[in-house]
Amino acid sequence: MRLNKVGTGLKQARNGRWPRQLCNAALAGVFLLTGCGFSETDRQRDRDENAANPGGLPSNKRPLSPVSKTGSFAAVTAEEGRAAEVGRDILLAGGNATDAAVAMYFALAVTLPSAASLGASGACVVHNEKTKKAEAFVFPPIAAPGAVKGTPFSVPVGVRAITLMHVRHGQLRWEQTVSPAERLARFGFPVSRALARDLQAGGALIGADAEARRIFGAAGEGTPLLQPELATVLGSIRQRGGAEFFQGALSRTFSEQVSQAGGSLPVDTLRNAVPISSAPQSVSHYRSRVHVAPAPAAGAAALAGWNGAPPAGGTPADSGGFAGFAAVDSKGGAAACELSMGQLFGARVVVPGSGIMLGSPNPEAASVSPLIIANPGNGEFTFAGAGGGGPNAAQAVGFVAREVIDNGKNLAAVLASRQAQGGFVNAIACPSGLRGSPEACRTGADPAGAGLSTLATE
């Protein structure tokens, strides 16, 4: 396992492009993401498209069908419906699976902060259909130096991990992946069933925090929820890149806001807390590989489920502070992430002025792992999934994958029959391969949960 760190002294190369080695190494300083791998022609095309349609998303929702006229398949699934719609729209706008996952990460920070705020820890796995390789990004819970109001909280590392993931595997402009979440926070959205369920279960838990009460106190299913402070944070990240959050002016502002709330999060702590990027833990399955997140994430639990061990625990009543999402594009690229706040609503403290719900450094926060199955020989995709509802979700995902891929069962039937034992599962399955038999591909969100799965084919 290795840590990838970016160097300093970025220099622009000729012809408006950035050196590939800088784009690939950017764990810390992603200041101009639009320069990574794009020609001037590409950038002009993006400017033209954005001028016609700000944010880069289609103005009209195109009808969805199980398989397009060209026989392609693309899909997303997530713990909360509006985030899934954001991922779908990113795919329809020309993004790949990683772009969709990045957009869903930021959207969930707005629509389901009880399980997936910017303060969450987690793990992602990406299958790159071009390189035919997979990569894992793990951002485990790291306790901050000083508690807020006597409550321990974890250092927010997720933005840094997602930034690196986009640099390595994304293809859309960075701004396009962040702007949907910013709009949701700034202009508001009706509270979904997923968030309403968590507020009903955990509203009393956040009642001691004045800022959390101010933002969420009157929220109920269908009521509009605006988060202007969080929109400002997302706007800075959109404009200046993800590095702004952990080593730019925004990091200094956030550090000061934590201090004013009585906690301690020095800028150096934000700067030095780096995610782990490495090859995933994996096992063979015929010609394919089953990829899970390596330690300290819970890849071993996901593989236990894959080996046939059903997860313990009954049907969750709420997210439990865990959320999973996945995306697959029409070329066979895939990305899946599982996030955790450590417990429902994490540290149960919102940093004033930022709108960010802090995560808890509870050891259970590391009990996360998505799962992707793909063929390293030809890049063929078979399965992607991630779970929520509690720390046993990773094992639940592995168990569902085994039932669908190895035992030949229908995805919807498996999700319905298991009654969310051990956690909610959100998955996308192509048992015969996405390229080989796209008509057999299916996407599903656990019917016992409150998420959404949807196609993105045209």
Side-chain angles (χ1 to χ4, degrees):
M1 191 174 298
R2 58 189 174 85
L3 297 180
N4 293 286
K5 299 182 180 179
V6 74
T8 57
L10 297 177
K11 296 181 180 179
Q12 189 171 10
R14 295 180 179 177
N15 301 321
R17 297 175 69 89
W18 290 83
R20 181 179 299 273
Q21 62 269 30
L22 292 182
C23 292
N24 287 342
L27 182 60
V30 186
F31 297 104
L32 290 174
L33 288 170
T34 55
C36 292
F38 291 95
S39 66
E40 182 57 36
T41 300
D42 293 329
R43 290 196 294 274
Q44 184 59 53
R45 180 195 62 211
D46 288 339
R47 286 193 291 267
D48 293 342
E49 290 176 351
N50 287 342
N53 183 13
L57 299 179
S59 57
N60 297 318
K61 303 296 185 190
R62 285 171 270 188
L64 302 175
S65 58
V67 182
S68 74
K69 293 180 180 179
T70 59
S72 63
F73 174 88
V76 299
T77 181
E79 203 75 17
E80 192 277 334
R82 209 155 267 104
E85 292 173 347
V86 165
R88 176 198 63 191
D89 289 348
I90 287 291
L91 290 178
L92 289 172
N96 63 14
T98 296
D99 296 317
V102 170
M104 287 191 286
Y105 166 81
F106 285 112
L108 282 167
V110 179
T111 63
L112 197 64
S114 50
S117 84
L118 295 184
S121 51
C124 299
V125 175
V126 173
H127 163 63
N128 189 315
E129 88 287 349
K130 294 179 181 178
T131 65
K132 303 178 180 63
K133 295 180 179 179
E135 186 171 18
F137 301 87
V138 179
F139 37 112
I142 302 171
V148 173
K149 301 175 184 178
T151 303
F153 68 95
S154 54
V155 179
V157 189
V159 172
R160 191 171 197 162
I162 294 298
T163 300
L164 175 61
M165 192 171 87
H166 183 266
V167 169
R168 293 270 181 83
H169 303 287
Q171 67 183 28
L172 276 189
R173 291 164 56 104
W174 172 255
E175 298 94 321
Q176 289 178 262
T177 65
V178 183
S179 61
E182 181 188 357
R183 288 197 297 271
L184 286 169
R186 191 174 305 283
F187 301 113
F189 62 95
V191 170
S192 67
R193 183 161 64 96
L195 179 55
R197 179 191 58 187
D198 281 1
L199 286 167
Q200 184 175 7
L205 300 174
I206 59 176
D209 182 64
E211 191 70 1
R213 286 199 312 272
R214 182 183 67 82
I215 298 172
F216 303 108
E221 186 171 359
T223 62
L225 178 61
L226 279 73
Q227 300 170 80
E229 295 87 0
L230 182 57
T232 299
V233 170
L234 291 168
S236 295
I237 292 172
R238 171 183 57 81
Q239 291 176 326
R240 301 184 180 92
E244 178 69 9
F245 186 75
F246 51 86
Q247 66 179 34
L250 180 58
S251 69
R252 295 189 291 274
T253 299
F254 187 61
S255 175
E256 292 169 359
Q257 290 167 334
V258 171
S259 296
Q260 291 167 4
S264 176
L265 183 62
V267 174
D268 284 347
T269 299
L270 274 170
R271 183 181 297 117
N272 295 329
V274 296
I276 300 163
S277 62
S278 71
Q281 183 179 356
S282 62
V283 296
S284 295
H285 180 249
Y286 298 102
R287 295 181 179 179
S288 295
R289 301 287 296 178
V290 180
H291 301 294
V292 296
L303 289 180
W306 169 253
N307 289 327
T315 303
D318 50 66
S319 74
F322 289 75
F325 55 96
V328 173
D329 59 52
S330 60
K331 295 181 179 179
C337 300
E338 186 177 339
L339 307 179
S340 174
M341 295 289 284
Q343 58 187 358
L344 190 62
F345 287 102
R348 296 155 185 174
V349 173
V350 174
V351 178
S354 73
I356 297 175
M357 180 79 68
L358 294 173
S360 169
N362 184 331
E364 284 193 339
S367 301
V368 294
S369 178
L371 184 148
I372 288 179
I373 304 175
N375 187 325
N378 59 15
E380 181 66 288
F381 162 82
T382 305
F383 183 93
N392 293 324
Q395 188 166 341
V397 171
F399 186 80
V400 168
R402 188 75 178 198
E403 290 287 272
V404 173
I405 301 303
D406 205 49
N407 296 333
K409 297 182 180 179
N410 176 270
L411 175 61
V414 171
L415 292 178
S417 65
R418 59 179 298 275
Q419 299 181 340
Q421 181 183 7
F424 305 123
V425 173
N426 307 293
I428 304 168
C430 295
S432 300
L434 184 147
R435 298 170 187 165
S437 299
E439 68 280 0
C441 295
R442 297 291 184 270
T443 180
D446 205 308
L452 174 70
S453 65
T454 180
L455 302 182
T457 51
E458 54 183 356

